[in-house]
Short mmCIF file of all heavy atoms in Angstrom, two decimals:
data_model
loop_
_atom_site.label_atom_id
_atom_site.label_comp_id
_atom_site.label_asym_id
_atom_site.label_seq_id
_atom_site.Cartn_x
_atom_site.Cartn_y
_atom_site.Cartn_z
N THR O 176 4.18 -97.00 -221.97
CA THR O 176 4.80 -97.46 -220.73
C THR O 176 3.90 -97.12 -219.54
O THR O 176 3.12 -96.17 -219.59
CB THR O 176 6.17 -96.79 -220.49
OG1 THR O 176 6.00 -95.37 -220.46
CG2 THR O 176 7.15 -97.16 -221.59
N VAL O 177 4.02 -97.90 -218.48
CA VAL O 177 3.29 -97.61 -217.24
C VAL O 177 4.18 -96.69 -216.40
O VAL O 177 5.26 -97.09 -215.97
CB VAL O 177 2.97 -98.90 -216.46
CG1 VAL O 177 2.19 -98.56 -215.19
CG2 VAL O 177 2.17 -99.86 -217.33
N PRO O 178 3.76 -95.45 -216.15
CA PRO O 178 4.64 -94.47 -215.51
C PRO O 178 4.67 -94.57 -213.99
O PRO O 178 3.88 -95.29 -213.38
CB PRO O 178 4.01 -93.14 -215.93
CG PRO O 178 2.53 -93.47 -215.97
CD PRO O 178 2.45 -94.88 -216.50
N HIS O 179 5.59 -93.83 -213.41
CA HIS O 179 5.63 -93.64 -211.96
C HIS O 179 5.57 -92.13 -211.70
O HIS O 179 6.38 -91.38 -212.25
CB HIS O 179 6.90 -94.22 -211.35
CG HIS O 179 7.09 -93.85 -209.91
ND1 HIS O 179 6.33 -94.41 -208.90
CD2 HIS O 179 7.90 -92.94 -209.31
CE1 HIS O 179 6.69 -93.89 -207.74
NE2 HIS O 179 7.64 -92.99 -207.95
N TYR O 180 4.62 -91.70 -210.89
CA TYR O 180 4.48 -90.27 -210.59
C TYR O 180 4.61 -90.03 -209.09
O TYR O 180 3.91 -90.65 -208.29
CB TYR O 180 3.11 -89.76 -211.06
CG TYR O 180 2.90 -89.77 -212.55
CD1 TYR O 180 1.86 -90.52 -213.12
CD2 TYR O 180 3.73 -89.02 -213.39
CE1 TYR O 180 1.66 -90.52 -214.49
CE2 TYR O 180 3.52 -89.02 -214.76
CZ TYR O 180 2.49 -89.78 -215.30
OH TYR O 180 2.29 -89.78 -216.65
N LYS O 181 5.50 -89.13 -208.71
CA LYS O 181 5.65 -88.77 -207.30
C LYS O 181 4.42 -88.03 -206.78
O LYS O 181 4.14 -88.06 -205.58
CB LYS O 181 6.89 -87.89 -207.12
CG LYS O 181 8.20 -88.62 -207.38
CD LYS O 181 9.38 -87.70 -207.14
CE LYS O 181 10.70 -88.45 -207.39
NZ LYS O 181 11.88 -87.55 -207.18
N PHE O 182 3.68 -87.40 -207.69
CA PHE O 182 2.50 -86.63 -207.28
C PHE O 182 1.48 -87.50 -206.58
O PHE O 182 0.78 -87.05 -205.65
CB PHE O 182 1.86 -85.96 -208.51
CG PHE O 182 0.59 -85.22 -208.20
CD1 PHE O 182 0.63 -83.97 -207.59
CD2 PHE O 182 -0.65 -85.76 -208.51
CE1 PHE O 182 -0.54 -83.28 -207.29
CE2 PHE O 182 -1.82 -85.07 -208.22
CZ PHE O 182 -1.76 -83.84 -207.62
N TYR O 183 1.36 -88.76 -206.99
CA TYR O 183 0.35 -89.66 -206.41
C TYR O 183 0.54 -89.79 -204.89
O TYR O 183 -0.39 -89.55 -204.11
CB TYR O 183 0.41 -91.03 -207.08
CG TYR O 183 -0.63 -92.01 -206.58
CD1 TYR O 183 -1.85 -92.15 -207.25
CD2 TYR O 183 -0.41 -92.80 -205.45
CE1 TYR O 183 -2.81 -93.05 -206.81
CE2 TYR O 183 -1.37 -93.69 -205.00
CZ TYR O 183 -2.56 -93.81 -205.68
OH TYR O 183 -3.50 -94.69 -205.23
N ARG O 184 1.74 -90.16 -204.47
CA ARG O 184 2.00 -90.34 -203.04
C ARG O 184 1.93 -89.01 -202.30
O ARG O 184 1.49 -88.96 -201.15
CB ARG O 184 3.37 -91.01 -202.84
CG ARG O 184 3.36 -92.49 -203.16
CD ARG O 184 2.33 -93.23 -202.31
NE ARG O 184 2.15 -94.62 -202.72
CZ ARG O 184 1.14 -95.38 -202.36
NH1 ARG O 184 0.17 -94.87 -201.61
NH2 ARG O 184 1.04 -96.62 -202.76
N PHE O 185 2.35 -87.95 -202.95
CA PHE O 185 2.24 -86.62 -202.35
C PHE O 185 0.78 -86.29 -202.07
O PHE O 185 0.42 -85.84 -200.97
CB PHE O 185 2.84 -85.57 -203.29
CG PHE O 185 2.56 -84.15 -202.88
CD1 PHE O 185 3.32 -83.52 -201.90
CD2 PHE O 185 1.53 -83.43 -203.48
CE1 PHE O 185 3.06 -82.20 -201.51
CE2 PHE O 185 1.25 -82.12 -203.10
CZ PHE O 185 2.03 -81.51 -202.11
N ALA O 186 -0.10 -86.54 -203.05
CA ALA O 186 -1.52 -86.23 -202.90
C ALA O 186 -2.15 -87.08 -201.81
O ALA O 186 -2.95 -86.59 -201.00
CB ALA O 186 -2.24 -86.45 -204.23
N VAL O 187 -1.80 -88.37 -201.75
CA VAL O 187 -2.35 -89.26 -200.73
C VAL O 187 -1.93 -88.80 -199.33
O VAL O 187 -2.74 -88.75 -198.40
CB VAL O 187 -1.90 -90.72 -200.97
CG1 VAL O 187 -2.23 -91.60 -199.77
CG2 VAL O 187 -2.57 -91.27 -202.22
N LYS O 188 -0.66 -88.44 -199.19
CA LYS O 188 -0.13 -88.05 -197.89
C LYS O 188 -0.65 -86.70 -197.43
O LYS O 188 -1.03 -86.52 -196.27
CB LYS O 188 1.39 -88.02 -197.95
CG LYS O 188 2.05 -87.72 -196.60
CD LYS O 188 3.57 -87.80 -196.70
CE LYS O 188 4.22 -87.52 -195.35
NZ LYS O 188 5.70 -87.62 -195.42
N VAL O 189 -0.72 -85.74 -198.35
CA VAL O 189 -1.08 -84.37 -197.98
C VAL O 189 -2.59 -84.17 -197.91
O VAL O 189 -3.10 -83.57 -196.96
CB VAL O 189 -0.45 -83.37 -198.97
CG1 VAL O 189 -0.92 -81.95 -198.68
CG2 VAL O 189 1.07 -83.44 -198.89
N PHE O 190 -3.30 -84.68 -198.91
CA PHE O 190 -4.74 -84.44 -198.98
C PHE O 190 -5.59 -85.59 -198.45
O PHE O 190 -6.77 -85.40 -198.13
CB PHE O 190 -5.15 -84.15 -200.43
CG PHE O 190 -4.44 -82.98 -201.04
CD1 PHE O 190 -3.53 -83.15 -202.08
CD2 PHE O 190 -4.66 -81.69 -200.57
CE1 PHE O 190 -2.86 -82.08 -202.64
CE2 PHE O 190 -4.01 -80.60 -201.13
CZ PHE O 190 -3.09 -80.79 -202.16
N GLY O 191 -4.99 -86.78 -198.34
CA GLY O 191 -5.75 -87.95 -197.91
C GLY O 191 -6.45 -87.81 -196.58
O GLY O 191 -7.67 -88.06 -196.48
N PRO O 192 -5.76 -87.40 -195.50
CA PRO O 192 -6.41 -87.29 -194.19
C PRO O 192 -7.61 -86.34 -194.20
O PRO O 192 -8.66 -86.64 -193.61
CB PRO O 192 -5.29 -86.76 -193.29
CG PRO O 192 -4.04 -87.25 -193.93
CD PRO O 192 -4.30 -87.17 -195.40
N ALA O 193 -7.46 -85.20 -194.87
CA ALA O 193 -8.57 -84.24 -194.93
C ALA O 193 -9.73 -84.80 -195.74
O ALA O 193 -10.90 -84.62 -195.38
CB ALA O 193 -8.09 -82.92 -195.55
N PHE O 194 -9.40 -85.51 -196.79
CA PHE O 194 -10.43 -86.11 -197.65
C PHE O 194 -11.21 -87.17 -196.89
O PHE O 194 -12.44 -87.23 -196.96
CB PHE O 194 -9.75 -86.73 -198.88
CG PHE O 194 -10.67 -87.02 -200.02
CD1 PHE O 194 -10.94 -86.07 -200.98
CD2 PHE O 194 -11.27 -88.27 -200.13
CE1 PHE O 194 -11.79 -86.35 -202.04
CE2 PHE O 194 -12.11 -88.56 -201.18
CZ PHE O 194 -12.38 -87.59 -202.14
N ARG O 195 -10.50 -88.00 -196.13
CA ARG O 195 -11.17 -89.04 -195.34
C ARG O 195 -12.10 -88.44 -194.30
O ARG O 195 -13.19 -88.95 -194.04
CB ARG O 195 -10.12 -89.93 -194.67
CG ARG O 195 -9.37 -90.82 -195.63
CD ARG O 195 -8.20 -91.55 -195.01
NE ARG O 195 -8.62 -92.52 -194.01
CZ ARG O 195 -7.89 -93.56 -193.64
NH1 ARG O 195 -6.70 -93.77 -194.19
NH2 ARG O 195 -8.32 -94.39 -192.72
N LYS O 196 -11.67 -87.34 -193.70
CA LYS O 196 -12.49 -86.68 -192.69
C LYS O 196 -13.69 -85.99 -193.33
O LYS O 196 -14.80 -86.01 -192.78
CB LYS O 196 -11.65 -85.66 -191.91
CG LYS O 196 -12.38 -84.99 -190.76
CD LYS O 196 -11.45 -84.09 -189.96
CE LYS O 196 -10.44 -84.90 -189.18
NZ LYS O 196 -9.62 -84.04 -188.26
N LEU O 197 -13.48 -85.39 -194.49
CA LEU O 197 -14.53 -84.67 -195.19
C LEU O 197 -15.70 -85.58 -195.53
O LEU O 197 -16.87 -85.19 -195.45
CB LEU O 197 -13.95 -84.05 -196.47
CG LEU O 197 -14.80 -83.04 -197.23
CD1 LEU O 197 -15.02 -81.78 -196.40
CD2 LEU O 197 -14.14 -82.69 -198.56
N TYR O 198 -15.38 -86.83 -195.91
CA TYR O 198 -16.42 -87.78 -196.29
C TYR O 198 -16.72 -88.80 -195.18
O TYR O 198 -17.45 -89.77 -195.43
CB TYR O 198 -16.02 -88.51 -197.58
CG TYR O 198 -16.18 -87.64 -198.81
CD1 TYR O 198 -15.13 -86.85 -199.27
CD2 TYR O 198 -17.40 -87.57 -199.49
CE1 TYR O 198 -15.28 -86.04 -200.38
CE2 TYR O 198 -17.55 -86.76 -200.60
CZ TYR O 198 -16.49 -86.00 -201.05
OH TYR O 198 -16.64 -85.19 -202.14
N HIS O 199 -16.17 -88.59 -193.99
CA HIS O 199 -16.42 -89.49 -192.85
C HIS O 199 -16.24 -90.95 -193.25
O HIS O 199 -17.11 -91.79 -193.03
CB HIS O 199 -17.85 -89.27 -192.32
CG HIS O 199 -18.10 -87.89 -191.81
ND1 HIS O 199 -17.62 -87.43 -190.60
CD2 HIS O 199 -18.76 -86.83 -192.36
CE1 HIS O 199 -17.99 -86.18 -190.41
NE2 HIS O 199 -18.67 -85.78 -191.48
N ILE O 200 -15.08 -91.26 -193.84
CA ILE O 200 -14.86 -92.60 -194.39
C ILE O 200 -14.37 -93.57 -193.31
O ILE O 200 -13.42 -93.28 -192.58
CB ILE O 200 -13.84 -92.58 -195.54
CG1 ILE O 200 -14.22 -91.53 -196.59
CG2 ILE O 200 -13.75 -93.95 -196.19
CD1 ILE O 200 -13.21 -91.38 -197.71
N THR O 201 -15.02 -94.73 -193.24
CA THR O 201 -14.58 -95.84 -192.41
C THR O 201 -14.15 -96.98 -193.33
O THR O 201 -14.82 -97.25 -194.34
CB THR O 201 -15.72 -96.33 -191.49
OG1 THR O 201 -16.13 -95.26 -190.63
CG2 THR O 201 -15.28 -97.52 -190.65
N TYR O 202 -13.04 -97.63 -192.98
CA TYR O 202 -12.53 -98.72 -193.80
C TYR O 202 -12.66 -100.04 -193.05
O TYR O 202 -12.33 -100.14 -191.87
CB TYR O 202 -11.07 -98.47 -194.18
CG TYR O 202 -10.92 -97.34 -195.17
CD1 TYR O 202 -10.72 -96.04 -194.75
CD2 TYR O 202 -11.02 -97.59 -196.54
CE1 TYR O 202 -10.61 -95.00 -195.66
CE2 TYR O 202 -10.91 -96.55 -197.46
CZ TYR O 202 -10.71 -95.26 -197.02
OH TYR O 202 -10.61 -94.24 -197.92
N LYS O 203 -13.14 -101.06 -193.75
CA LYS O 203 -13.29 -102.39 -193.16
C LYS O 203 -12.74 -103.44 -194.13
O LYS O 203 -12.82 -103.29 -195.34
CB LYS O 203 -14.77 -102.70 -192.88
CG LYS O 203 -15.41 -101.79 -191.84
CD LYS O 203 -16.84 -102.22 -191.55
CE LYS O 203 -17.47 -101.34 -190.47
NZ LYS O 203 -18.87 -101.79 -190.17
N GLY O 204 -12.18 -104.51 -193.55
CA GLY O 204 -11.72 -105.64 -194.36
C GLY O 204 -10.38 -105.43 -195.04
O GLY O 204 -10.04 -106.19 -195.96
N LEU O 205 -9.59 -104.47 -194.59
CA LEU O 205 -8.29 -104.23 -195.22
C LEU O 205 -7.35 -105.43 -195.09
O LEU O 205 -6.41 -105.57 -195.87
CB LEU O 205 -7.64 -102.98 -194.63
CG LEU O 205 -8.16 -101.65 -195.19
CD1 LEU O 205 -7.77 -100.49 -194.28
CD2 LEU O 205 -7.62 -101.43 -196.60
N GLU O 206 -7.64 -106.30 -194.12
CA GLU O 206 -6.82 -107.51 -193.97
C GLU O 206 -7.00 -108.45 -195.16
O GLU O 206 -6.18 -109.38 -195.37
CB GLU O 206 -7.16 -108.24 -192.67
CG GLU O 206 -8.54 -108.89 -192.61
CD GLU O 206 -9.66 -107.91 -192.21
OE1 GLU O 206 -9.37 -106.70 -192.07
OE2 GLU O 206 -10.80 -108.37 -192.05
N ASN O 207 -8.05 -108.24 -195.96
CA ASN O 207 -8.29 -109.09 -197.14
C ASN O 207 -7.47 -108.67 -198.36
O ASN O 207 -7.43 -109.41 -199.35
CB ASN O 207 -9.78 -109.05 -197.51
CG ASN O 207 -10.66 -109.72 -196.47
OD1 ASN O 207 -10.29 -110.76 -195.92
ND2 ASN O 207 -11.81 -109.14 -196.19
N VAL O 208 -6.85 -107.51 -198.30
CA VAL O 208 -6.06 -107.04 -199.44
C VAL O 208 -4.82 -107.91 -199.58
O VAL O 208 -4.04 -108.04 -198.64
CB VAL O 208 -5.65 -105.56 -199.26
CG1 VAL O 208 -4.79 -105.10 -200.43
CG2 VAL O 208 -6.89 -104.68 -199.13
#
């Protein structure tokens, strides 16, 4: 089965901002998604 994990969204919300800053990430073309 394809599972659903609450940890994924938790990790994105809690660690995502720091991770983006750590690697100086810029995002372009998100309107294409």
Side-chain angles (χ1 to χ4, degrees):
T176 59
V177 181
H179 171 74
Y180 293 120
K181 292 182 179 179
F182 176 77
Y183 182 94
R184 285 302 172 196
F185 170 81
V187 169
K188 184 176 181 179
V189 175
F190 302 113
F194 197 88
R195 290 171 66 158
K196 185 175 290 187
L197 191 65
Y198 284 91
H199 298 285
I200 308 176
T201 299
Y202 290 92
K203 296 184 178 181
L205 280 163
E206 68 277 5
N207 293 320
V208 178

